[in-house]
């Protein structure tokens, strides 16, 4: 198969982790007889430095022409980087929001899994961590508060900022359908998270989710208020299978869920549109403080590449090979510093990539 992949190395540790993910992809291509063509594009700070904007039309066109996009991370230190002196729409994060919108990537899949080998990293009590958990957070990614109209004005000498949270039923329905489809391939449970005791957008969310649920009689649906969900994630994470939620709640809850695994350097994500196209990126950020030191954990990006093979190319066998290589490397005792413990063997980013590629 020919795989036409656009890469966004981005900022901070992004270039290092994408390089290792490519190494693993190349090993997969060699073993299973695929041909991968890569094209790098600039986004975030890297694009600001060259073009003055975080994402150019040419970069969007390149991404659109690809079969899938593999991304590292974007952004810098918000207190010290000159990128954050620019007006908000020219900052690195604006590039990420813009590419999500331009490619219509409305469904964000963020798995949060507790790896048996890394259970010690889970910050929760042992009785909770030994139960383990494996959830998929489905975050709506192109609507709600992050894409509503916003402005800052001054009225009678008083500064006022306005952000708007809008959802129409079609935006809710399409992400709900994706959520239920994915639940059908998992443990068949959807927890829809909202703030229906306060927000109209949440009340519509709940109504539409219930309508969609009628087409999935095998799936158990429950509704949970977002503040309660934040508590349940630390009290009893094993209760969750698919968490289905809107943009901002998903942003926050997915970070919470990843922290509960204790190993955010291990968590991948996929952002999908209505076709097979997707953008795949680690759930963690650009970690500018450790950039260029060859100590970053490339596994989240490698697992994002695995999700890419699975969701955009239907190459399940190849994706399984990557997932198995990750498990094997952990079993063999290798760890990057973020997941280091006891008498494991500490390795850097490059060596972790080599070890994974060898195990394909
Ligand atoms: C994420 C990030 C982004 C978001 C930021 C960088 C705009 O936090 O992918 O979760 O909030 O969507
Ligand atoms: Mg976030």
């Amino acid at each position: 198969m020919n795989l036409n992949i656009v890469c966004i190395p981005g900022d901070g540790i992004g270039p290092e982790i994408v390089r290792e993910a490519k190494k693993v992809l190349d090993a997969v291509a060699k073993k299973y007889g695929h041909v991968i063509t890569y094209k790098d594009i600039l986004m975030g700070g890297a694009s600001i430095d060259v073009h003055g904007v975080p994402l150019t039309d040419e970069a969007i066109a390149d991404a659109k022409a690809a079969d899938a996009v593999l991304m590292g991370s974007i952004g810098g230190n918000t207190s010290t980087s000159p990128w954050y002196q620019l007006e908000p729409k020219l900052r690195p994060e604006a590039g990420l929001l813009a590419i999500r919108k331009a490619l219509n990537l409305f469904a964000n899949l963020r798995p949060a899994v507790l790896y048996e080998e890394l259970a010690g990293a889970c910050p929760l009590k042992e009785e909770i961590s030994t139960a383990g958990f494996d959830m998929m957070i489905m975050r709506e990614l192109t609507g709600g508060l992050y894409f509503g109209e916003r402005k800052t004005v001054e009225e009678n000498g008083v500064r006022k900022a306005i952000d708007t949270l809008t959802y129409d039923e079609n935006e809710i329905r399409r992400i709900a359908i994706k959520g239920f489809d994915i639940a059908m391939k998992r443990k068949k449970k959807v927890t829809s998270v909202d703030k229906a005791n306060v927000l109209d957008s949440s009340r519509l969310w709940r109504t539409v989710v219930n309508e969609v649920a009628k087409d999935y009689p095998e799936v158990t649906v429950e509704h949970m208020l977002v503040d309660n969900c934040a508590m349940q994630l630390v009290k009893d994470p094993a209760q969750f299978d698919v968490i289905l939620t809107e943009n901002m709640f998903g942003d926050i809850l997915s970070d919470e869920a990843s922290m509960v695994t204790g190993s955010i350097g291990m968590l991948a994500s996929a952002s999908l549109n209505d076709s097979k196209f997707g953008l795949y990126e680690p759930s963690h950020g650009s970690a500018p403080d450790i950039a260029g030191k060859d100590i970053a954990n490339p596994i989240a990006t490698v697992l994002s590449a695995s999700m890419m093979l699975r969701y955009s190319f239907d190459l399940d066998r190849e994706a399984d090979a990557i997932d198995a290589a990750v498990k094997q490397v952990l079993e063999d005792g290798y760890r990057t510093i973020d997941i280091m413990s006891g008498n494991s063997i500490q390795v850097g980013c490059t060596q972790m990539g080599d070890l994974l590629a060898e195990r394909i």
Side-chain angles (χ1 to χ4, degrees):
M1 184 172 187
N2 287 318
L3 291 70
N4 175 11
I5 299 171
V6 152
C7 292
I8 305 177
D11 308 319
I13 59 170
E16 307 163 49
I17 54 183
V18 167
R19 186 189 61 218
E20 298 315 310
K22 279 184 183 173
K23 195 185 274 174
V24 176
L25 278 173
D26 288 339
V28 169
K30 192 166 170 218
K31 173 155 180 192
Y32 295 95
H34 303 298
V35 179
I36 307 183
T37 316
Y38 301 102
K39 175 160 194 182
D40 281 0
I41 61 172
L42 296 176
M43 194 170 93
S47 174
I48 296 172
D49 289 347
V50 177
H51 301 294
V53 291
L55 183 69
T56 61
D57 290 342
E58 293 72 44
I60 293 176
D62 282 339
K64 275 190 179 156
D67 299 320
V69 178
L70 180 66
M71 185 185 138
S73 50
I74 53 112
N77 183 315
T78 50
S79 349
T80 57
S81 164
W83 298 329
Y84 297 92
Q85 304 299 318
L86 300 167
E87 58 172 310
K89 67 172 200 283
L90 292 179
R91 293 180 193 169
E93 287 71 12
L96 182 54
L97 294 175
I99 202 166
R100 287 174 180 166
K101 197 69 171 179
L103 303 177
N104 197 24
L105 305 172
F106 64 87
N108 185 210
L109 281 59
R110 297 189 169 184
V113 185
L114 187 65
Y115 281 83
E116 221 178 287
E117 295 81 1
L118 302 179
C122 173
L124 303 178
K125 282 192 195 144
E126 214 178 305
E127 68 229 47
I128 302 176
S129 63
T130 44
F133 57 85
D134 177 355
M135 70 184 93
M136 179 69 87
I137 303 204
M138 299 277 311
R139 168 188 176 193
E140 200 291 325
L141 201 59
T142 54
L145 207 48
Y146 294 12
F147 288 92
E149 235 177 273
R150 68 181 97 257
K151 61 181 173 186
T152 306
V153 293
E154 198 168 314
E155 282 172 6
N156 306 321
V158 178
R159 286 170 295 165
K160 180 162 123 182
I162 304 161
D163 293 291
T164 41
L165 199 182
T166 311
Y167 271 109
D168 70 38
E169 59 177 305
N170 298 325
E171 288 173 291
I172 301 170
R173 191 170 296 110
R174 65 183 183 177
I175 181 77
I177 289 171
K178 283 252 190 216
F180 279 89
D181 283 343
I182 283 175
M184 283 298 289
K185 295 188 184 172
R186 297 175 46 100
K187 284 174 270 164
K188 300 195 169 71
K189 178 177 176 191
V190 169
T191 305
S192 174
V193 174
D194 61 38
K195 188 71 185 171
N197 53 349
V198 179
L199 302 175
D200 264 13
S201 55
S202 281
R203 287 187 271 268
L204 181 62
W205 182 277
R206 207 175 263 219
T207 305
V208 175
V209 168
N210 281 332
E211 287 165 10
V212 171
K214 289 194 185 118
D215 295 331
Y216 297 85
E218 284 174 56
V219 178
T220 309
V221 196
E222 65 178 19
H223 300 278
M224 193 178 277
L225 296 174
V226 62
D227 39 1
N228 183 27
C229 183
M231 296 193 290
Q232 295 300 325
L233 275 172
V234 289
K235 187 173 165 242
D236 177 19
Q239 71 183 285
F240 296 111
D241 178 23
V242 173
I243 291 183
L244 172 65
T245 192
E246 62 97 53
N247 202 342
M248 182 175 63
F249 298 159
D251 185 20
I252 299 167
L253 294 176
S254 62
D255 266 21
E256 187 189 355
S258 67
M259 195 34 84
V260 166
T261 68
S263 39
I264 182 163
M266 303 285 301
L267 300 179
S269 84
S271 304
L272 308 175
N273 68 13
D274 253 332
S275 70
K276 287 270 162 204
F277 185 88
L279 179 148
Y280 300 84
E281 57 170 318
S283 281
H284 59 71
S286 61
D289 50 318
I290 61 161
K293 296 189 178 157
D294 197 31
I295 57 171
N297 185 350
I299 294 181
T301 317
V302 169
L303 290 171
S304 301
S306 159
M307 286 184 93
M308 176 177 77
L309 296 178
R310 204 180 292 286
Y311 291 103
S312 283
F313 298 103
D314 287 318
L315 295 173
D316 283 352
R317 189 184 49 167
E318 288 79 347
D320 289 345
I322 295 184
D323 297 353
V326 168
K327 241 186 135 18
Q328 190 59 52
V329 120
L330 294 176
E331 269 172 38
D332 293 345
Y334 297 103
R335 305 279 189 275
T336 44
I337 189 164
D338 56 306
I339 51 172
M340 188 60 195
S341 72
N343 45 14
S344 311
I345 310 153
Q346 191 171 321
V347 296
C349 184
T350 312
Q351 200 186 344
M352 183 54 96
D354 290 340
L355 291 165
L356 290 166
E358 278 166 20
R359 282 161 181 73
I360 293 297

